[in-house]
Amino acid sequence: MSEQDRVRWEERYQSREAPRAVAAELPAVFAPFANEFPTEGRALDLACGLGSASVWLARRGMEVWGVDISATAIRRARDLAARSGVSDRCRFDVVDLDLGLPAGLSVDAVVCHRFRDTRLDQPIIERLAPGGLLAISALSVVDAEPGRFRVAPGELVAAFAELTVIAAGEGNGEAWLLARKPVPV
């Protein structure tokens, strides 16, 4: 991430009052599919922000690693995990995803909400264990103005074509995909 982008995200989190009531929950777009998410194993939450999805996954029984470019967001995510009693199942680190996906073990779930970097597509697929779940969303040009960080129609489904789609959608400026890595026969 450029230094300008890093500073922008840091300022964005610093300018917000520390949230006292951040809920441990999935992004709304994935909430109808909560039963698809694993209840054990490892998860990776990319661009995790305040850690809501990470803590939700940890409460389900997963070991979760959340990464974000903002040190302020990471501090607040750690606080949410502590207040929720899942610090032992959550690890949060400041990571610049422009440098690639951080090295690590395979995971049973990857959550990536409103962050998109096409250079991470194949590494995300490779990181998923067989049967692993990908939940990814991004800003979209569908029903919205074009923009630097918006995906084209069909982009997420095409990028993750080797995964089995559970559900996908586009509209109101957001695209999302829920897909599973096939289990070899």
Side-chain angles (χ1 to χ4, degrees), residues 46-116:
L46 302 174
C48 69
L50 301 175
S52 294
S54 295
V55 171
W56 184 86
L57 290 165
R59 282 182 168 174
R60 286 179 66 83
M62 299 194 80
E63 300 290 325
V64 186
W65 185 18
V67 298
D68 198 280
I69 192 63
S70 168
T72 299
I74 292 299
R75 275 193 308 278
R76 292 180 179 175
R78 288 176 182 150
D79 181 58
L80 177 61
R83 287 185 285 119
S84 300
V86 292
S87 291
D88 60 329
R89 290 196 300 274
C90 288
R91 169 184 166 192
F92 293 102
D93 290 308
V94 175
V95 171
D96 184 349
L97 292 169
D98 275 357
L99 301 177
L101 203 59
L105 300 171
S106 64
V107 296
D108 303 291
V110 172
V111 174
C112 186
H113 180 57
R114 297 228 172 133
F115 174 78
R116 181 83 173 113

Short mmCIF file of all heavy atoms in Angstrom, two decimals, residues 46-116:
data_model
loop_
_atom_site.label_atom_id
_atom_site.label_comp_id
_atom_site.label_asym_id
_atom_site.label_seq_id
_atom_site.Cartn_x
_atom_site.Cartn_y
_atom_site.Cartn_z
N LEU A 46 -8.64 -10.83 6.09
CA LEU A 46 -7.81 -9.85 5.38
C LEU A 46 -8.46 -8.48 5.43
O LEU A 46 -9.66 -8.35 5.18
CB LEU A 46 -7.62 -10.28 3.92
CG LEU A 46 -6.99 -11.66 3.73
CD1 LEU A 46 -7.00 -12.04 2.25
CD2 LEU A 46 -5.58 -11.68 4.29
N ALA A 47 -7.66 -7.46 5.73
CA ALA A 47 -8.16 -6.09 5.90
C ALA A 47 -9.27 -6.12 6.95
O ALA A 47 -10.38 -5.65 6.74
CB ALA A 47 -8.63 -5.50 4.57
N CYS A 48 -8.95 -6.67 8.10
CA CYS A 48 -9.93 -6.99 9.16
C CYS A 48 -10.54 -5.79 9.85
O CYS A 48 -11.54 -5.93 10.56
CB CYS A 48 -9.31 -7.91 10.20
SG CYS A 48 -8.02 -7.12 11.21
N GLY A 49 -9.97 -4.61 9.68
CA GLY A 49 -10.54 -3.43 10.32
C GLY A 49 -10.61 -3.61 11.83
O GLY A 49 -9.64 -4.00 12.47
N LEU A 50 -11.77 -3.37 12.40
CA LEU A 50 -11.96 -3.42 13.85
C LEU A 50 -12.13 -4.84 14.39
O LEU A 50 -12.33 -5.02 15.59
CB LEU A 50 -13.16 -2.56 14.24
CG LEU A 50 -13.04 -1.09 13.85
CD1 LEU A 50 -14.33 -0.34 14.16
CD2 LEU A 50 -11.85 -0.43 14.52
N GLY A 51 -12.06 -5.83 13.54
CA GLY A 51 -12.05 -7.22 13.99
C GLY A 51 -13.40 -7.87 14.22
O GLY A 51 -13.46 -8.96 14.80
N SER A 52 -14.47 -7.26 13.78
CA SER A 52 -15.81 -7.82 14.02
C SER A 52 -15.95 -9.24 13.49
O SER A 52 -16.43 -10.13 14.21
CB SER A 52 -16.89 -6.95 13.36
OG SER A 52 -16.95 -5.70 13.98
N ALA A 53 -15.57 -9.48 12.25
CA ALA A 53 -15.70 -10.82 11.67
C ALA A 53 -14.74 -11.79 12.34
O ALA A 53 -15.09 -12.94 12.60
CB ALA A 53 -15.47 -10.79 10.16
N SER A 54 -13.53 -11.33 12.65
CA SER A 54 -12.55 -12.19 13.31
C SER A 54 -13.09 -12.70 14.64
O SER A 54 -13.01 -13.90 14.95
CB SER A 54 -11.24 -11.43 13.57
OG SER A 54 -10.61 -11.07 12.38
N VAL A 55 -13.62 -11.80 15.43
CA VAL A 55 -14.13 -12.18 16.75
C VAL A 55 -15.36 -13.08 16.59
O VAL A 55 -15.52 -14.05 17.34
CB VAL A 55 -14.41 -10.92 17.60
CG1 VAL A 55 -15.14 -11.28 18.88
CG2 VAL A 55 -13.09 -10.21 17.92
N TRP A 56 -16.21 -12.81 15.62
CA TRP A 56 -17.36 -13.68 15.37
C TRP A 56 -16.89 -15.10 15.06
O TRP A 56 -17.43 -16.08 15.60
CB TRP A 56 -18.20 -13.11 14.22
CG TRP A 56 -19.45 -13.89 13.96
CD1 TRP A 56 -20.66 -13.74 14.59
CD2 TRP A 56 -19.62 -14.94 13.01
NE1 TRP A 56 -21.57 -14.64 14.08
CE2 TRP A 56 -20.96 -15.39 13.11
CE3 TRP A 56 -18.78 -15.55 12.08
CZ2 TRP A 56 -21.47 -16.41 12.31
CZ3 TRP A 56 -19.29 -16.57 11.29
CH2 TRP A 56 -20.62 -16.99 11.41
N LEU A 57 -15.89 -15.23 14.19
CA LEU A 57 -15.35 -16.54 13.85
C LEU A 57 -14.73 -17.22 15.07
O LEU A 57 -14.91 -18.42 15.28
CB LEU A 57 -14.31 -16.41 12.73
CG LEU A 57 -14.86 -16.04 11.36
CD1 LEU A 57 -13.74 -15.59 10.44
CD2 LEU A 57 -15.64 -17.20 10.74
N ALA A 58 -14.01 -16.46 15.89
CA ALA A 58 -13.41 -17.03 17.10
C ALA A 58 -14.48 -17.52 18.07
O ALA A 58 -14.32 -18.57 18.70
CB ALA A 58 -12.50 -16.00 17.77
N ARG A 59 -15.54 -16.78 18.18
CA ARG A 59 -16.65 -17.21 19.05
C ARG A 59 -17.26 -18.52 18.56
O ARG A 59 -17.80 -19.29 19.35
CB ARG A 59 -17.75 -16.15 19.11
CG ARG A 59 -17.41 -14.99 20.01
CD ARG A 59 -18.58 -14.04 20.03
NE ARG A 59 -18.44 -13.06 21.10
CZ ARG A 59 -19.26 -12.04 21.25
NH1 ARG A 59 -20.28 -11.88 20.43
NH2 ARG A 59 -19.09 -11.20 22.23
N ARG A 60 -17.16 -18.78 17.26
CA ARG A 60 -17.66 -20.04 16.71
C ARG A 60 -16.69 -21.18 16.97
O ARG A 60 -17.03 -22.32 16.71
CB ARG A 60 -17.87 -19.91 15.20
CG ARG A 60 -19.07 -19.11 14.82
CD ARG A 60 -19.23 -18.99 13.32
NE ARG A 60 -19.53 -20.21 12.60
CZ ARG A 60 -20.74 -20.73 12.47
NH1 ARG A 60 -21.78 -20.15 13.05
NH2 ARG A 60 -20.93 -21.82 11.75
N GLY A 61 -15.49 -20.87 17.42
CA GLY A 61 -14.52 -21.91 17.73
C GLY A 61 -13.28 -21.93 16.86
O GLY A 61 -12.43 -22.80 17.02
N MET A 62 -13.16 -20.97 15.94
CA MET A 62 -12.00 -20.95 15.05
C MET A 62 -10.82 -20.20 15.67
O MET A 62 -10.99 -19.34 16.52
CB MET A 62 -12.38 -20.30 13.72
CG MET A 62 -13.49 -21.03 12.98
SD MET A 62 -13.64 -20.50 11.27
CE MET A 62 -12.29 -21.46 10.54
N GLU A 63 -9.62 -20.55 15.22
CA GLU A 63 -8.40 -19.79 15.51
C GLU A 63 -8.27 -18.79 14.37
O GLU A 63 -8.21 -19.20 13.21
CB GLU A 63 -7.18 -20.72 15.54
CG GLU A 63 -7.25 -21.81 16.58
CD GLU A 63 -7.13 -21.27 17.99
OE1 GLU A 63 -6.38 -20.30 18.19
OE2 GLU A 63 -7.80 -21.82 18.89
N VAL A 64 -8.23 -17.49 14.69
CA VAL A 64 -8.32 -16.47 13.65
C VAL A 64 -7.11 -15.54 13.67
O VAL A 64 -6.67 -15.10 14.73
CB VAL A 64 -9.60 -15.62 13.83
CG1 VAL A 64 -9.77 -14.65 12.67
CG2 VAL A 64 -10.83 -16.50 13.97
N TRP A 65 -6.62 -15.26 12.47
CA TRP A 65 -5.56 -14.28 12.29
C TRP A 65 -6.14 -13.14 11.46
O TRP A 65 -6.49 -13.32 10.29
CB TRP A 65 -4.36 -14.90 11.58
CG TRP A 65 -3.17 -13.99 11.45
CD1 TRP A 65 -2.90 -12.85 12.15
CD2 TRP A 65 -2.08 -14.17 10.55
NE1 TRP A 65 -1.70 -12.31 11.74
CE2 TRP A 65 -1.17 -13.10 10.76
CE3 TRP A 65 -1.77 -15.13 9.60
CZ2 TRP A 65 0.02 -12.96 10.04
CZ3 TRP A 65 -0.58 -14.99 8.88
CH2 TRP A 65 0.30 -13.93 9.11
N GLY A 66 -6.26 -11.95 12.06
CA GLY A 66 -6.75 -10.78 11.37
C GLY A 66 -5.59 -9.85 11.06
O GLY A 66 -4.73 -9.61 11.92
N VAL A 67 -5.55 -9.34 9.84
CA VAL A 67 -4.49 -8.42 9.43
C VAL A 67 -5.11 -7.17 8.82
O VAL A 67 -6.15 -7.22 8.16
CB VAL A 67 -3.50 -9.08 8.44
CG1 VAL A 67 -2.80 -10.27 9.08
CG2 VAL A 67 -4.19 -9.51 7.15
N ASP A 68 -4.46 -6.03 9.05
CA ASP A 68 -4.92 -4.75 8.52
C ASP A 68 -3.73 -3.81 8.46
O ASP A 68 -2.76 -3.98 9.22
CB ASP A 68 -6.02 -4.16 9.41
CG ASP A 68 -6.82 -3.09 8.68
OD1 ASP A 68 -6.34 -1.93 8.59
OD2 ASP A 68 -7.92 -3.41 8.21
N ILE A 69 -3.79 -2.80 7.63
CA ILE A 69 -2.71 -1.82 7.50
C ILE A 69 -2.72 -0.81 8.64
O ILE A 69 -1.69 -0.20 8.94
CB ILE A 69 -2.78 -1.10 6.13
CG1 ILE A 69 -1.52 -0.29 5.85
CG2 ILE A 69 -4.02 -0.22 6.04
CD1 ILE A 69 -0.26 -1.09 5.75
N SER A 70 -3.83 -0.64 9.33
CA SER A 70 -3.95 0.38 10.36
C SER A 70 -3.63 -0.16 11.76
O SER A 70 -4.32 -1.05 12.26
CB SER A 70 -5.37 0.96 10.37
OG SER A 70 -5.58 1.74 11.52
N ALA A 71 -2.62 0.41 12.39
CA ALA A 71 -2.26 0.03 13.76
C ALA A 71 -3.41 0.36 14.72
O ALA A 71 -3.65 -0.39 15.68
CB ALA A 71 -0.98 0.74 14.19
N THR A 72 -4.12 1.44 14.47
CA THR A 72 -5.25 1.80 15.33
C THR A 72 -6.36 0.75 15.21
O THR A 72 -6.91 0.31 16.23
CB THR A 72 -5.80 3.20 14.95
OG1 THR A 72 -4.76 4.16 15.16
CG2 THR A 72 -7.02 3.56 15.78
N ALA A 73 -6.67 0.33 14.00
CA ALA A 73 -7.69 -0.71 13.81
C ALA A 73 -7.26 -1.99 14.52
O ALA A 73 -8.08 -2.64 15.18
CB ALA A 73 -7.92 -0.96 12.33
N ILE A 74 -6.01 -2.35 14.41
CA ILE A 74 -5.51 -3.58 15.04
C ILE A 74 -5.62 -3.48 16.56
O ILE A 74 -6.05 -4.44 17.22
CB ILE A 74 -4.07 -3.89 14.59
CG1 ILE A 74 -4.05 -4.28 13.10
CG2 ILE A 74 -3.42 -4.95 15.46
CD1 ILE A 74 -4.86 -5.53 12.76
N ARG A 75 -5.26 -2.34 17.13
CA ARG A 75 -5.41 -2.17 18.59
C ARG A 75 -6.87 -2.34 19.01
O ARG A 75 -7.18 -3.00 20.00
CB ARG A 75 -4.91 -0.80 19.03
CG ARG A 75 -3.43 -0.72 19.29
CD ARG A 75 -3.03 0.57 20.02
NE ARG A 75 -3.51 1.79 19.38
CZ ARG A 75 -2.91 2.38 18.34
NH1 ARG A 75 -1.84 1.86 17.81
NH2 ARG A 75 -3.43 3.50 17.84
N ARG A 76 -7.76 -1.76 18.24
CA ARG A 76 -9.19 -1.85 18.57
C ARG A 76 -9.72 -3.27 18.36
O ARG A 76 -10.59 -3.73 19.10
CB ARG A 76 -9.97 -0.82 17.76
CG ARG A 76 -9.63 0.60 18.24
CD ARG A 76 -10.36 1.65 17.49
NE ARG A 76 -10.01 2.97 18.01
CZ ARG A 76 -10.43 4.10 17.49
NH1 ARG A 76 -11.25 4.10 16.46
NH2 ARG A 76 -10.06 5.26 18.01
N ALA A 77 -9.21 -3.97 17.36
CA ALA A 77 -9.60 -5.37 17.16
C ALA A 77 -9.15 -6.23 18.34
O ALA A 77 -9.90 -7.08 18.82
CB ALA A 77 -9.01 -5.89 15.85
N ARG A 78 -7.93 -6.00 18.80
CA ARG A 78 -7.44 -6.74 19.97
C ARG A 78 -8.30 -6.46 21.19
O ARG A 78 -8.60 -7.38 21.98
CB ARG A 78 -5.99 -6.38 20.26
CG ARG A 78 -5.01 -6.92 19.24
CD ARG A 78 -3.60 -6.45 19.52
NE ARG A 78 -2.67 -6.96 18.51
CZ ARG A 78 -1.59 -6.33 18.11
NH1 ARG A 78 -1.24 -5.16 18.66
NH2 ARG A 78 -0.82 -6.87 17.19
N ASP A 79 -8.72 -5.21 21.34
CA ASP A 79 -9.58 -4.85 22.46
C ASP A 79 -10.94 -5.56 22.35
O ASP A 79 -11.45 -6.07 23.35
CB ASP A 79 -9.77 -3.33 22.50
CG ASP A 79 -10.64 -2.89 23.66
OD1 ASP A 79 -10.29 -3.18 24.82
OD2 ASP A 79 -11.69 -2.26 23.40
N LEU A 80 -11.51 -5.60 21.16
CA LEU A 80 -12.78 -6.30 20.97
C LEU A 80 -12.64 -7.78 21.31
O LEU A 80 -13.50 -8.35 21.98
CB LEU A 80 -13.28 -6.13 19.53
CG LEU A 80 -14.57 -6.87 19.18
CD1 LEU A 80 -15.74 -6.40 20.05
CD2 LEU A 80 -14.88 -6.72 17.70
N ALA A 81 -11.54 -8.39 20.89
CA ALA A 81 -11.32 -9.81 21.20
C ALA A 81 -11.22 -10.03 22.71
O ALA A 81 -11.80 -10.97 23.25
CB ALA A 81 -10.06 -10.31 20.50
N ALA A 82 -10.52 -9.12 23.39
CA ALA A 82 -10.38 -9.23 24.85
C ALA A 82 -11.73 -9.07 25.53
O ALA A 82 -12.09 -9.86 26.41
CB ALA A 82 -9.39 -8.20 25.37
N ARG A 83 -12.50 -8.05 25.12
CA ARG A 83 -13.82 -7.83 25.73
C ARG A 83 -14.78 -8.97 25.44
O ARG A 83 -15.71 -9.22 26.21
CB ARG A 83 -14.42 -6.51 25.24
CG ARG A 83 -13.75 -5.28 25.85
CD ARG A 83 -14.43 -3.98 25.45
NE ARG A 83 -14.08 -3.63 24.07
CZ ARG A 83 -14.97 -3.49 23.07
NH1 ARG A 83 -16.24 -3.64 23.29
NH2 ARG A 83 -14.58 -3.19 21.86
N SER A 84 -14.55 -9.69 24.34
CA SER A 84 -15.42 -10.79 23.95
C SER A 84 -14.94 -12.13 24.49
O SER A 84 -15.58 -13.16 24.24
CB SER A 84 -15.50 -10.86 22.42
OG SER A 84 -16.02 -9.65 21.91
N GLY A 85 -13.81 -12.12 25.19
CA GLY A 85 -13.30 -13.35 25.79
C GLY A 85 -12.68 -14.34 24.82
O GLY A 85 -12.62 -15.53 25.12
N VAL A 86 -12.20 -13.85 23.66
CA VAL A 86 -11.60 -14.76 22.68
C VAL A 86 -10.17 -14.37 22.30
O VAL A 86 -9.68 -14.77 21.24
CB VAL A 86 -12.48 -14.89 21.42
CG1 VAL A 86 -13.79 -15.60 21.74
CG2 VAL A 86 -12.73 -13.54 20.77
N SER A 87 -9.49 -13.63 23.15
CA SER A 87 -8.11 -13.24 22.85
C SER A 87 -7.22 -14.44 22.59
O SER A 87 -6.26 -14.35 21.80
CB SER A 87 -7.52 -12.43 24.00
OG SER A 87 -8.14 -11.18 24.08
N ASP A 88 -7.52 -15.54 23.25
CA ASP A 88 -6.71 -16.74 23.07
C ASP A 88 -6.91 -17.38 21.69
O ASP A 88 -6.09 -18.20 21.27
CB ASP A 88 -7.03 -17.76 24.16
CG ASP A 88 -8.49 -18.19 24.17
OD1 ASP A 88 -9.37 -17.37 23.81
OD2 ASP A 88 -8.75 -19.35 24.54
N ARG A 89 -7.95 -17.00 20.96
CA ARG A 89 -8.20 -17.55 19.63
C ARG A 89 -8.04 -16.52 18.52
O ARG A 89 -8.29 -16.83 17.35
CB ARG A 89 -9.61 -18.16 19.58
CG ARG A 89 -9.72 -19.43 20.42
CD ARG A 89 -10.95 -20.23 20.09
NE ARG A 89 -12.21 -19.55 20.30
CZ ARG A 89 -12.86 -19.50 21.47
NH1 ARG A 89 -12.35 -20.09 22.52
NH2 ARG A 89 -14.01 -18.88 21.56
N CYS A 90 -7.65 -15.30 18.88
CA CYS A 90 -7.47 -14.23 17.88
C CYS A 90 -6.06 -13.67 17.94
O CYS A 90 -5.55 -13.36 19.01
CB CYS A 90 -8.44 -13.08 18.15
SG CYS A 90 -10.16 -13.42 17.76
N ARG A 91 -5.48 -13.53 16.78
CA ARG A 91 -4.20 -12.84 16.64
C ARG A 91 -4.44 -11.74 15.63
O ARG A 91 -5.06 -11.96 14.58
CB ARG A 91 -3.15 -13.83 16.12
CG ARG A 91 -1.86 -13.18 15.68
CD ARG A 91 -0.93 -14.21 15.08
NE ARG A 91 0.17 -13.56 14.38
CZ ARG A 91 1.00 -14.17 13.57
NH1 ARG A 91 0.87 -15.47 13.36
NH2 ARG A 91 1.95 -13.51 12.98
N PHE A 92 -3.97 -10.54 15.95
CA PHE A 92 -4.13 -9.41 15.04
C PHE A 92 -2.76 -8.79 14.80
O PHE A 92 -2.01 -8.54 15.75
CB PHE A 92 -5.07 -8.36 15.63
CG PHE A 92 -6.49 -8.84 15.74
CD1 PHE A 92 -7.00 -9.26 16.96
CD2 PHE A 92 -7.31 -8.87 14.63
CE1 PHE A 92 -8.30 -9.70 17.07
CE2 PHE A 92 -8.62 -9.31 14.73
CZ PHE A 92 -9.12 -9.73 15.95
N ASP A 93 -2.44 -8.52 13.53
CA ASP A 93 -1.16 -7.92 13.17
C ASP A 93 -1.33 -6.85 12.10
O ASP A 93 -2.21 -6.96 11.24
CB ASP A 93 -0.19 -8.98 12.63
CG ASP A 93 0.28 -9.94 13.71
OD1 ASP A 93 0.75 -9.48 14.76
OD2 ASP A 93 0.16 -11.16 13.50
N VAL A 94 -0.46 -5.84 12.17
CA VAL A 94 -0.39 -4.82 11.12
C VAL A 94 0.37 -5.45 9.95
O VAL A 94 1.51 -5.88 10.11
CB VAL A 94 0.32 -3.55 11.62
CG1 VAL A 94 0.50 -2.55 10.47
CG2 VAL A 94 -0.43 -2.93 12.78
N VAL A 95 -0.29 -5.52 8.81
CA VAL A 95 0.29 -6.13 7.61
C VAL A 95 -0.09 -5.28 6.41
O VAL A 95 -1.24 -4.89 6.25
CB VAL A 95 -0.22 -7.57 7.41
CG1 VAL A 95 0.21 -8.14 6.07
CG2 VAL A 95 0.25 -8.48 8.55
N ASP A 96 0.89 -5.02 5.56
CA ASP A 96 0.65 -4.32 4.30
C ASP A 96 0.39 -5.37 3.23
O ASP A 96 1.33 -6.02 2.77
CB ASP A 96 1.85 -3.45 3.96
CG ASP A 96 1.65 -2.62 2.71
OD1 ASP A 96 0.66 -2.85 1.97
OD2 ASP A 96 2.49 -1.73 2.44
N LEU A 97 -0.84 -5.55 2.83
CA LEU A 97 -1.20 -6.58 1.85
C LEU A 97 -0.69 -6.26 0.45
O LEU A 97 -0.67 -7.14 -0.40
CB LEU A 97 -2.71 -6.80 1.85
CG LEU A 97 -3.24 -7.44 3.14
CD1 LEU A 97 -4.76 -7.39 3.19
CD2 LEU A 97 -2.74 -8.87 3.28
N ASP A 98 -0.23 -5.03 0.23
CA ASP A 98 0.42 -4.72 -1.05
C ASP A 98 1.72 -5.50 -1.20
O ASP A 98 2.22 -5.67 -2.31
CB ASP A 98 0.71 -3.23 -1.18
CG ASP A 98 -0.48 -2.45 -1.71
OD1 ASP A 98 -1.51 -3.08 -2.04
OD2 ASP A 98 -0.38 -1.22 -1.81
N LEU A 99 2.25 -5.98 -0.09
CA LEU A 99 3.48 -6.79 -0.12
C LEU A 99 3.16 -8.26 -0.31
O LEU A 99 4.06 -9.09 -0.32
CB LEU A 99 4.28 -6.57 1.16
CG LEU A 99 4.69 -5.11 1.43
CD1 LEU A 99 5.40 -4.99 2.76
CD2 LEU A 99 5.55 -4.58 0.30
N GLY A 100 1.90 -8.59 -0.43
CA GLY A 100 1.47 -9.97 -0.63
C GLY A 100 0.78 -10.53 0.59
O GLY A 100 0.75 -9.92 1.66
N LEU A 101 0.25 -11.71 0.41
CA LEU A 101 -0.39 -12.41 1.51
C LEU A 101 0.68 -12.86 2.49
O LEU A 101 1.70 -13.41 2.08
CB LEU A 101 -1.13 -13.63 0.94
CG LEU A 101 -2.28 -14.22 1.71
CD1 LEU A 101 -3.37 -13.18 1.91
CD2 LEU A 101 -2.85 -15.41 0.97
N PRO A 102 0.50 -12.62 3.78
CA PRO A 102 1.53 -13.04 4.73
C PRO A 102 1.63 -14.57 4.75
O PRO A 102 0.63 -15.27 4.59
CB PRO A 102 1.04 -12.49 6.07
CG PRO A 102 -0.42 -12.27 5.90
CD PRO A 102 -0.64 -12.00 4.44
N ALA A 103 2.84 -15.07 4.93
CA ALA A 103 3.07 -16.52 4.95
C ALA A 103 2.32 -17.14 6.12
O ALA A 103 2.13 -16.50 7.16
CB ALA A 103 4.56 -16.80 5.06
N GLY A 104 1.90 -18.35 5.95
CA GLY A 104 1.21 -19.04 7.04
C GLY A 104 0.68 -20.38 6.59
O GLY A 104 0.79 -20.77 5.43
N LEU A 105 0.05 -21.07 7.53
CA LEU A 105 -0.54 -22.38 7.28
C LEU A 105 -1.81 -22.24 6.45
O LEU A 105 -2.39 -21.17 6.36
CB LEU A 105 -0.87 -23.05 8.62
CG LEU A 105 0.31 -23.29 9.55
CD1 LEU A 105 -0.18 -23.76 10.92
CD2 LEU A 105 1.27 -24.30 8.94
N SER A 106 -2.26 -23.36 5.90
CA SER A 106 -3.54 -23.34 5.19
C SER A 106 -4.65 -23.02 6.18
O SER A 106 -4.51 -23.24 7.38
CB SER A 106 -3.79 -24.68 4.49
OG SER A 106 -3.91 -25.70 5.44
N VAL A 107 -5.75 -22.50 5.66
CA VAL A 107 -6.87 -22.08 6.51
C VAL A 107 -8.17 -22.68 6.00
O VAL A 107 -8.30 -23.02 4.82
CB VAL A 107 -6.98 -20.54 6.59
CG1 VAL A 107 -5.75 -19.94 7.26
CG2 VAL A 107 -7.19 -19.91 5.22
N ASP A 108 -9.13 -22.76 6.91
CA ASP A 108 -10.44 -23.30 6.59
C ASP A 108 -11.42 -22.22 6.15
O ASP A 108 -12.50 -22.53 5.67
CB ASP A 108 -10.97 -24.05 7.81
CG ASP A 108 -10.00 -25.15 8.21
OD1 ASP A 108 -9.87 -26.12 7.45
OD2 ASP A 108 -9.33 -25.01 9.26
N ALA A 109 -11.04 -20.95 6.36
CA ALA A 109 -11.87 -19.84 5.92
C ALA A 109 -11.01 -18.61 5.70
O ALA A 109 -10.07 -18.35 6.46
CB ALA A 109 -12.95 -19.52 6.95
N VAL A 110 -11.34 -17.86 4.66
CA VAL A 110 -10.75 -16.55 4.40
C VAL A 110 -11.91 -15.57 4.28
O VAL A 110 -12.84 -15.80 3.51
CB VAL A 110 -9.90 -16.50 3.11
CG1 VAL A 110 -9.48 -15.07 2.79
CG2 VAL A 110 -8.69 -17.40 3.21
N VAL A 111 -11.84 -14.50 5.07
CA VAL A 111 -12.81 -13.41 4.96
C VAL A 111 -12.06 -12.19 4.46
O VAL A 111 -10.98 -11.86 4.97
CB VAL A 111 -13.47 -13.10 6.33
CG1 VAL A 111 -14.37 -11.88 6.24
CG2 VAL A 111 -14.24 -14.31 6.83
N CYS A 112 -12.61 -11.54 3.46
CA CYS A 112 -11.99 -10.34 2.91
C CYS A 112 -13.13 -9.40 2.53
O CYS A 112 -13.74 -9.53 1.48
CB CYS A 112 -11.14 -10.71 1.70
SG CYS A 112 -10.20 -9.34 1.03
N HIS A 113 -13.43 -8.45 3.43
CA HIS A 113 -14.58 -7.58 3.26
C HIS A 113 -14.16 -6.19 2.80
O HIS A 113 -13.41 -5.50 3.49
CB HIS A 113 -15.36 -7.49 4.57
CG HIS A 113 -16.56 -6.61 4.51
ND1 HIS A 113 -17.58 -6.80 3.61
CD2 HIS A 113 -16.90 -5.52 5.23
CE1 HIS A 113 -18.50 -5.87 3.79
NE2 HIS A 113 -18.12 -5.08 4.76
N ARG A 114 -14.62 -5.83 1.62
CA ARG A 114 -14.39 -4.51 1.03
C ARG A 114 -12.91 -4.18 0.85
O ARG A 114 -12.47 -3.05 1.07
CB ARG A 114 -15.10 -3.43 1.82
CG ARG A 114 -16.60 -3.63 1.80
CD ARG A 114 -17.30 -2.36 1.48
NE ARG A 114 -18.71 -2.62 1.28
CZ ARG A 114 -19.67 -1.89 1.83
NH1 ARG A 114 -19.35 -0.89 2.62
NH2 ARG A 114 -20.91 -2.17 1.58
N PHE A 115 -12.16 -5.19 0.47
CA PHE A 115 -10.76 -4.99 0.09
C PHE A 115 -10.54 -5.86 -1.14
O PHE A 115 -10.97 -7.00 -1.19
CB PHE A 115 -9.81 -5.41 1.21
CG PHE A 115 -8.36 -5.34 0.79
CD1 PHE A 115 -7.70 -4.13 0.76
CD2 PHE A 115 -7.69 -6.49 0.41
CE1 PHE A 115 -6.37 -4.05 0.36
CE2 PHE A 115 -6.36 -6.42 0.01
CZ PHE A 115 -5.71 -5.21 -0.02
N ARG A 116 -9.85 -5.31 -2.13
CA ARG A 116 -9.62 -6.06 -3.36
C ARG A 116 -8.24 -5.75 -3.88
O ARG A 116 -7.86 -4.59 -4.06
CB ARG A 116 -10.67 -5.66 -4.41
CG ARG A 116 -10.53 -6.40 -5.71
CD ARG A 116 -11.20 -7.77 -5.64
NE ARG A 116 -11.17 -8.37 -6.96
CZ ARG A 116 -10.46 -9.45 -7.25
NH1 ARG A 116 -9.77 -10.07 -6.32
NH2 ARG A 116 -10.47 -9.93 -8.47
#
